[in-house]
Amino acid sequence: MSPPNVAQGRDRLRIAIQKSGRLADPARALLASCGLSWRESRDRLFCYGETLPVDLLLVRDDDIPGLIADGVCDLGVVGRNVLQEQGQDRVESGRVPAYREWRALGFGGCRLDIAVPDAWDWQGPQQLGGKRIATSYPALLRQWLQAQGIAADVVLLSGSVEIAPRLGQADAICDLVSSGATLSANQLKPVLTLLQSEAVLAGPVEAFDDVRGELADLLLRRLDGAIRVRKSKLLMFQASRNDLPTLLPLLPDAEAPTVMQVDGADRMALQALCHGAVTWQRLEDLKRAGASGLMVLPVEGMLA
Ligand code: ATP
Ligand code: ZN
């Protein structure tokens, strides 16, 4: 199945996601957890939405902001780093903003960091003055340098930025970092963070003024529920009424628990939605404070 042309697509919502790479599987899984499903096309670039009129376009992540700007796609799942870089590039070249972040999605976390050779005795940003900094994020780096009042050369590289200092192409780098292992393998150390990034749902600056608006609202409500419950667990246990004052402070991340009387006036059953990690340690602490029959259940969905 090939995508309908842009003019025909207005009664369906089209979402661009990465075809393959770090964000591809989690983006699909998150959308699927919102109740969407698709019929795969043979060319695997376009997936036709079956449960809702929401189709997927599978593309390179770098193309997603442009596809939204051109109206080819309505929404996209992309790293904040890519969205902001291309947004800043538009600003630099005098074009109007054409998209914005609609939601942070809680996966694909990384930082855009400046890293310098291990051997540098780092004193602060002014040390970068007159130096060459290699990056694939020239617009964000230039914006930051300008804000700091630092004059440095921005060396644009499309990949393998971390080996630039060893090759003598640059003195420092500005690149994405998650664990830091790549940096240390290249005798570099992170010294500054320009941007905290994660995958985001990107969309146009203005809301849709046709049927896509309702579809987008529905999707956002489901996404908010899915994001909220992702790390949540339902905790159930029993306790005597007298122990409640000691037990409840052990659930600071829980929504107001439901408390039910089990038998007589003393025995209570509690049900609490916890948004933090429910570890063995926490369960043991609750048990010591009087809880019994502790049960932890996964939460599949939630509509506030
Ligand atoms: P494409 O073929 O789609 O252009 P890519 O190689 O540009 O893929 P990936 O390496 O899959 O992209 O990274 C996609 C996004 O994942 C990044 O833009 C960033 O938001 C996020 N990410 C999370 N951790 C890292 C990391 N350690 N390095 C690079 N990107 C990361
Ligand atoms: Zn890319």
Side-chain angles (χ1 to χ4, degrees):
M1 168 132 358
S2 56
N5 69 38
V6 175
Q8 284 171 345
R10 305 299 79 179
D11 56 344
R12 301 181 66 85
L13 202 60
R14 195 180 295 161
I15 307 180
I17 65 168
Q18 201 186 19
K19 184 176 192 313
S20 58
R22 287 185 160 90
L23 307 182
D25 289 344
R28 248 183 126 105
L30 180 63
L31 293 172
S33 76
C34 294
L36 305 186
S37 69
W38 307 272
R39 199 183 322 148
E40 299 284 339
S41 68
R42 213 171 295 158
D43 60 10
R44 297 213 54 244
L45 291 178
F46 183 78
C47 305
Y48 186 82
E50 290 192 313
T51 35
L52 279 176
V54 180
D55 306 322
L56 293 185
L57 202 62
L58 309 185
V59 296
R60 286 200 56 197
D61 65 344
D62 317 71
D63 293 336
I64 292 176
L67 289 168
I68 298 171
D70 294 342
V72 176
C73 285
D74 302 309
L75 301 170
V77 176
V78 63
R80 181 180 291 138
N81 47 300
V82 171
L83 194 72
Q84 292 204 1
E85 171 66 22
Q86 295 195 22
Q88 180 57 25
D89 184 60
R90 288 180 77 92
V91 171
E92 277 185 2
S93 58
R95 287 173 293 163
V96 288
Y99 34 75
R100 66 179 172 83
E101 183 174 320
W102 279 27
R103 285 294 188 281
L105 299 178
F107 61 87
C110 57
R111 315 183 308 262
L112 183 64
D113 275 3
I114 300 229
V116 301
D118 280 335
W120 279 29
D121 173 21
W122 179 249
Q123 314 269 325
Q126 295 307 325
Q127 231 172 319
L128 296 167
K131 297 288 195 289
R132 296 162 305 158
I133 310 172
T135 191
S136 310
Y137 294 85
L140 288 177
L141 177 57
R142 273 194 296 268
Q143 181 192 29
W144 182 81
L145 288 168
Q146 202 176 5
Q148 301 287 316
I150 298 168
D153 282 339
V154 175
V155 179
L156 176 61
L157 295 180
S158 58
S160 305
V161 170
E162 65 283 354
I163 59 169
R166 275 198 291 153
L167 296 179
Q169 286 172 298
D171 305 298
I173 69 166
C174 170
D175 201 9
L176 294 180
V177 179
S178 43
S179 71
T182 311
L183 289 184
S184 51
N186 287 283
Q187 292 98 51
L188 296 168
K189 59 181 177 188
V191 289
L192 287 165
T193 296
L194 269 52
L195 177 72
Q196 288 286 351
S197 186
E198 66 187 279
V200 302
L201 182 74
V205 178
E206 306 284 348
F208 301 110
D209 57 4
D210 52 27
V211 70
R212 291 171 300 164
E214 287 156 41
L215 280 171
D217 285 347
L218 175 88
L219 181 66
L220 285 179
R221 275 197 304 274
R222 291 189 183 183
L223 264 179
D224 288 340
I227 294 166
R228 220 161 141 225
V229 300
R230 196 181 293 140
K231 289 189 185 129
S232 303
K233 294 275 188 274
L234 186 67
L235 184 63
M236 295 169 74
F237 58 90
Q238 292 199 3
S240 89
R241 185 186 289 273
N242 296 340
D243 289 329
L244 294 188
T246 11
L247 281 164
L248 294 182
L250 297 174
L251 303 169
D253 59 329
E255 297 193 3
T258 311
V259 185
M260 293 161 286
Q261 203 164 303
V262 181
D263 56 27
D266 184 50
R267 201 76 199 142
M268 314 302 284
L270 282 90
Q271 199 171 292
L273 184 66
C274 293
H275 296 296
V278 181
T279 58
W280 282 108
Q281 178 70 54
R282 283 190 77 181
L283 295 179
E284 285 152 6
D285 290 347
L286 286 163
K287 192 168 167 57
R288 255 192 303 278
S292 64
L294 281 149
M295 232 188 311
V296 186
L297 284 80
V299 181
E300 294 244 320
M302 174 172 180
L303 205 55

